[in-house]
Amino acid sequence: IEPRIFSFNTPHGACPECNGLGTIRKVDQELVLNLNLSIAEGAILPWARIVQTDSWSWRVLEEVTKQNKIDINKDTQELSEDEKKIILYGTGKDSYKVKGPNRFGRIVVWDTTFEGVVTNVERRYSATESDYVRTEIEKFMRIDTCDVCKGARLKPDVLSVTIDEKSIAVVSSYSIRNLHEWLKEVSKETNILSERETAIGKPIFKELLARVSFLIDVGLEYLTISRSANTLAGGEAQRIRLASQIGSGLS
């Protein structure tokens, strides 16, 4: 346990799933399918350009829909949920024989699987190094809370480190007023910390209480430690910087 693991700005502490952002981009199936069109008319928006082409991707899609009895000429909204699930999330390890010309013009047969639109788009998003491609793919995605850290931005093992059964993410979500009360309670000689822990934490609690007390004195008791800096008004940010300077002078 060391200070750097409690920062989501370093790889030592950041959640590996969202890289410390607390949010991830996910493909939204409502943005992927145009329910008013059929597959043959381009209902699968990320793949609209391959429709009715002699491309490998279109031949695979044709074979998948044929084998699973999915009508590509029917409006997507009329497809069953199971049929839409196949299109969106694939058919696992099921194999399909796809026939067509290779780059030399010879007719060949390939055995392939079908990963589905969502998996394909997410894979391309992770693999691409092109800003243009990434921007285009983001049109079919939404920002959602990270499934691993639940928005806390830190690794699960970091969040397992607690004081008074509270992780740093929980404490950071407190308002300044509630944080002040919690710090006063924990810093007392109670059964929360051992005598040794209280002695070790004494200078730390002193500095924290000084900074938090100043924020309360200047009327910022409603803020939370976890609040992003870009959401602060100019006056709020200035008062926080002043509190930090005062705290540094005390340390």
Side-chain angles (χ1 to χ4, degrees):
I1 297 176
E2 53 186 338
R4 65 180 181 176
I5 72 169
F6 295 99
S7 172
F8 46 75
N9 291 317
T10 72
H12 305 285
C15 170
E17 181 69 17
C18 64
N19 296 316
L21 296 175
T23 58
I24 57 174
R25 290 186 181 274
K26 294 181 178 180
V27 175
D28 188 339
Q29 68 178 55
E30 293 183 1
L31 300 177
V32 166
L33 296 179
N34 184 335
L35 300 180
N36 296 316
L37 298 177
S38 67
I39 294 174
E41 293 172 327
I44 306 174
L45 300 180
W47 295 354
R49 295 179 182 177
I50 71 167
V51 173
Q52 305 295 349
T53 64
D54 195 30
S55 67
W56 162 256
S57 297
W58 178 251
R59 289 198 294 271
V60 171
L61 184 59
E62 275 190 313
E63 186 63 26
V64 169
T65 53
K66 178 182 176 182
Q67 293 297 326
N68 289 280
K69 297 180 173 56
I70 299 174
D71 187 350
I72 64 173
N73 295 304
K74 182 189 295 185
D75 283 357
T76 310
Q77 61 185 340
E78 297 177 14
L79 298 179
S80 69
E81 290 302 313
D82 287 341
E83 289 174 328
K84 284 188 282 190
K85 186 176 179 180
I86 288 174
I87 298 299
L88 291 170
Y89 299 103
T91 53
K93 296 181 180 180
D94 292 350
S95 181
Y96 301 90
K97 291 187 179 297
V98 180
K99 184 177 180 180
N102 62 15
R103 60 179 178 172
F104 303 109
R106 295 174 54 191
I107 302 299
V108 294
V109 177
W110 288 282
D111 287 324
T112 186
T113 56
F114 181 64
E115 63 182 350
V117 184
V118 171
T119 307
N120 174 266
V121 171
E122 289 179 342
R123 178 176 57 77
R124 287 165 50 207
Y125 186 77
S126 299
T128 186
E129 295 181 359
S130 167
D131 290 337
Y132 172 77
V133 172
R134 188 173 293 108
T135 300
E136 287 297 303
I137 294 177
E138 285 175 356
K139 295 177 181 178
F140 309 108
M141 308 178 89
R142 57 181 169 81
I143 298 176
D144 203 357
T145 302
C146 176
D147 295 327
V148 175
C149 68
K150 309 302 181 185
R153 303 196 279 188
L154 294 166
K155 293 179 178 178
D157 50 340
V158 175
L159 297 173
S160 69
V161 179
T162 62
I163 296 177
D164 189 23
E165 300 183 354
K166 296 175 178 63
S167 69
I168 188 172
V170 172
V171 175
S172 296
S173 68
Y174 288 169
S175 68
I176 297 297
R177 173 66 67 182
N178 290 339
L179 175 60
H180 185 262
E181 295 302 316
W182 182 79
L183 288 170
K184 286 197 301 183
E185 180 64 24
V186 175
S187 61
K188 293 177 182 177
E189 294 184 4
T190 63
N191 59 355
I192 296 176
L193 299 179
S194 67
E195 183 178 345
R196 179 173 178 271
E197 291 170 336
T198 301
I200 293 172
K202 187 174 181 179
I204 300 173
F205 285 124
K206 179 181 177 181
E207 182 176 342
L208 286 172
L209 284 166
R211 295 190 185 200
V212 172
S213 296
F214 180 81
L215 290 173
I216 293 174
D217 291 341
V218 296
L220 296 177
E221 69 277 359
Y222 59 90
L223 294 179
T224 62
I225 299 297
S226 60
R227 183 167 169 179
S228 299
N230 59 6
T231 67
L232 299 173
E236 291 173 334
Q238 186 174 3
R239 281 179 281 179
I240 289 174
R241 283 194 294 269
L242 181 56
S244 178
Q245 292 169 1
I246 291 175
S248 298
L250 292 172
S251 61

